[in-house]
Amino acid sequence: TLKEGTDYTVSYQNNINIGTARVIVTGKGHYTGTVEKTFAIAAKTGSIHTAGAYKYKISNANEVAFVGLKSAKTSKVNIPGTVKIGGKDFKVTSIANNALKKSKAASVTIGANVRTIGNSAFENCSKLTKVTVGAGVTKIGTKAFMGCKKLKTITIKSLKLKTVGKKALSGIKSNAKVKVPKKKLKEYQKLFKGKGQGKKVKITK
């Protein structure tokens, strides 16, 4: 049986970040020659990683979900379109259920690659006053903004929105405005109807 360090050495290249790494076995002492092999490094699906001020969960080889904040004190939240984890760029395509529930966030801007906002994603954010929903969002989950009593402005940039869950706007500021694209005004007025908001909440362009 050959012994590492006596009969051979092992070295690696590019084995820190996500991607293709290389292992090199080199003969030593009575042995000569080298053998090289490559292997893949990938982020485990479902694993959670911190990048900057935010936490993300690996959805697949190219996408992650925003799952929360590194610090509970963060008040201004800008969810990016992409994030670098382990040297690889991932698209941020969703906001997880309960991601910012009861957080101290005062403002939230959602990146253009996010397609879904999870159930109760911002529920009971007592300091939240404004939210900008990015151009890629197709679904806003049940109770997404429920109990955000200071939430007075929600700006919808998406032209693709198809689903708004029950009680998504329940308990937001009584005279809040949901600003939507002009060409989608009538469609979105129907879409947001009866989502728990007070009678004075307006869906406007």
Side-chain angles (χ1 to χ4, degrees):
T1 302
L2 302 183
K3 292 184 178 181
E4 184 178 355
T6 301
D7 301 310
Y8 65 92
T9 60
V10 180
S11 60
Y12 297 90
Q13 293 177 351
N14 303 320
N15 66 318
I16 302 299
N17 293 324
I18 294 169
T20 301
R22 185 180 299 275
V23 58
I24 303 115
V25 180
T26 304
K28 185 179 179 182
H30 298 294
Y31 300 93
T32 59
T34 61
V35 175
E36 296 187 14
K37 296 289 184 181
T38 59
F39 59 96
I41 298 176
K44 184 179 179 181
T45 300
S47 60
I48 294 176
H49 302 262
T50 299
Y54 311 133
K55 293 181 179 181
Y56 303 90
K57 186 175 183 179
I58 303 294
S59 303
N60 56 47
N62 299 302
E63 300 179 355
V64 296
F66 173 91
V67 296
L69 303 172
K70 180 180 179 181
S71 170
K73 295 180 180 180
T74 301
S75 62
K76 188 176 182 180
V77 178
N78 289 300
I79 299 171
T82 61
V83 62
K84 191 178 289 292
I85 297 172
K88 176 181 170 64
D89 288 327
F90 289 84
K91 285 186 177 182
V92 184
T93 56
S94 62
I95 299 173
N97 295 343
N98 307 309
L100 288 177
K101 188 175 182 178
K102 296 183 179 179
S103 79
K104 295 181 180 179
S107 68
V108 175
T109 300
I110 298 170
N113 287 328
V114 172
R115 298 190 295 266
T116 59
I117 297 173
N119 299 337
S120 300
F122 306 98
E123 185 179 345
N124 290 331
C125 289
S126 60
K127 296 186 177 183
L128 188 61
T129 61
K130 61 181 180 178
V131 173
T132 300
V133 175
V137 172
T138 62
K139 179 182 179 181
I140 296 175
T142 301
K143 300 181 181 179
F145 301 104
M146 182 177 178
C148 297
K149 58 187 178 181
K150 291 185 178 180
L151 182 53
K152 60 183 179 181
T153 306
I154 301 174
T155 302
I156 308 290
K157 292 188 174 182
S158 177
L159 298 172
K160 305 174 183 178
L161 189 61
K162 298 296 181 185
T163 305
V164 178
K166 293 180 180 180
K167 298 184 179 179
L169 304 180
S170 178
I172 66 172
K173 197 171 179 69
S174 62
N175 61 346
K177 289 184 179 181
V178 180
K179 298 179 179 180
V180 304
K182 183 178 180 180
K183 65 169 72 175
K184 290 287 186 176
L185 180 59
K186 289 185 178 180
E187 181 181 334
Y188 284 6
Q189 283 176 334
K190 292 180 181 178
L191 190 60
F192 279 98
K193 186 177 181 180
K195 302 305 177 183
Q197 68 269 38
K199 293 181 179 179
K200 293 183 180 179
V201 174
K202 294 187 179 298
I203 313 300
T204 184
K205 59 186 177 181

